[in-house]
């Protein structure tokens, strides 16, 4: 079964759905906060031009998801599945950002939990590629159980730490 890059995922706090062209302005309203990108290697995503490139790449990726707050129905961020590898039995989750109003773990935790549950239907391992200076994201994935296992270039050829989390031993994915 091929990996489903753009599912609709629903939790009690958030809904993730495929990113659409008409989401651009609402997502930029979130991304325009420079503090979101403070530790990220591509800080220009808070500027119109930098965001436009990021948004275009997100649409073209075929794996981008927009995150909405279930209570307010407003867009609060974005994430993406990328780089499915049957040989390595893994997929990457990345490009995640949330409005600062939704920082603190609960929302990001649910986003990652929904994405991990989905991914583990197809693969045994999920990786996160995180810039060495992005301490906030490193701590965030450590909180959900990912461990640093090495480094490699990310999709933009920037050296990144690899964090991996594996499916629980009692979880059977659909490729078994």
């Amino acid at each position: 079964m091929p990996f489903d890059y753009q599912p609709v995922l629903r939790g009690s706090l958030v809904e993730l759905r495929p990113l659409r062209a008409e989401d651009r302005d609402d997502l930029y309203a979130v991304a325009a906060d420079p503090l979101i990108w403070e530790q990220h290697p591509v800080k220009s995503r808070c500027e119109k031009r930098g965001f436009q490139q990021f948004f275009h790449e997100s649409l073209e990726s075929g794996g981008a998801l927009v995150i909405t707050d279930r209570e307010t129905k407003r867009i609060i961020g974005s994430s993406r599945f990328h780089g499915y590898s049957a040989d390595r039995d893994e997929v990457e989750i990345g490009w995640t950002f949330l409005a600062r109003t939704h920082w603190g773990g609960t929302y990001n935790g649910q986003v990652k939990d929904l994405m991990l549950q989905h991914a583990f239907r197809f693969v045994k391992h999920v990786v996160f590629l995180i810039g060495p200076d992005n301490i906030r994201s490193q701590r965030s994935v450590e909180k959900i159980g990912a461990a640093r296992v090495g480094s490699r270039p990310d999709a933009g050829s920037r050296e990144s730490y690899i964090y991996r989390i594996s499916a629980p031993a009692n979880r059977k994915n659909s490729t078994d």
Side-chain angles (χ1 to χ4, degrees):
M1 171 187 323
F3 189 85
D4 179 5
Y5 279 95
Q6 288 191 304
V8 173
L9 305 171
R10 289 183 184 91
S12 59
L13 300 172
V14 296
E15 177 176 295
L16 289 78
R17 62 162 173 78
L19 180 70
R20 300 184 298 244
E22 58 267 24
D23 295 325
R24 186 188 67 222
D25 293 342
D26 290 337
L27 193 56
Y28 179 62
V30 175
D33 180 349
L35 291 179
I36 290 174
W37 309 103
E38 178 180 46
Q39 296 181 15
H40 195 274
V42 186
K43 296 174 182 13
S44 65
R45 290 181 182 163
C46 65
E47 300 162 6
K48 193 79 161 174
R49 176 178 274 181
F51 176 79
Q52 300 250 6
Q53 180 179 347
F54 171 74
F55 189 79
H56 175 73
E57 290 169 359
S58 295
L59 282 175
E60 292 293 311
S61 77
L65 302 169
V66 70
I67 304 164
T68 58
D69 181 311
R70 295 259 336 244
E71 183 178 328
T72 65
K73 309 294 187 230
R74 291 191 165 177
I75 290 176
I76 60 169
S78 175
S79 194
R80 189 186 310 178
F81 287 112
H82 175 77
Y84 166 72
S85 170
D87 292 341
R88 290 191 307 264
D89 206 7
E90 75 178 22
V91 71
E92 178 184 351
I93 292 175
W95 293 267
T96 306
F97 71 94
L98 284 174
R100 282 192 298 138
T101 56
H102 290 73
W103 283 6
T106 307
Y107 285 84
N108 186 52
Q110 188 168 94
V111 167
K112 293 300 191 307
D113 186 55
L114 291 167
M115 293 181 78
L116 287 168
Q117 286 178 42
H118 175 74
F120 290 146
R121 293 178 44 227
F122 300 91
V123 297
K124 291 185 180 172
H125 310 285
V126 171
V127 295
F128 304 86
L129 300 182
I130 301 173
D133 297 328
N134 194 341
I135 305 303
R136 186 182 308 126
S137 291
Q138 291 172 37
R139 297 300 169 257
S140 178
V141 297
E142 289 168 353
K143 280 171 63 175
I144 62 168
R148 187 170 150 197
V149 296
S151 63
R152 73 179 187 218
D154 66 11
S157 300
R158 294 173 296 270
E159 195 60 24
S160 299
Y161 293 151
I162 305 168
Y163 283 81
R164 177 180 287 135
I165 189 167
S166 298
N170 62 350
R171 181 174 210 133
K172 182 176 177 154
N173 72 29
S174 62
T175 62
D176 288 346

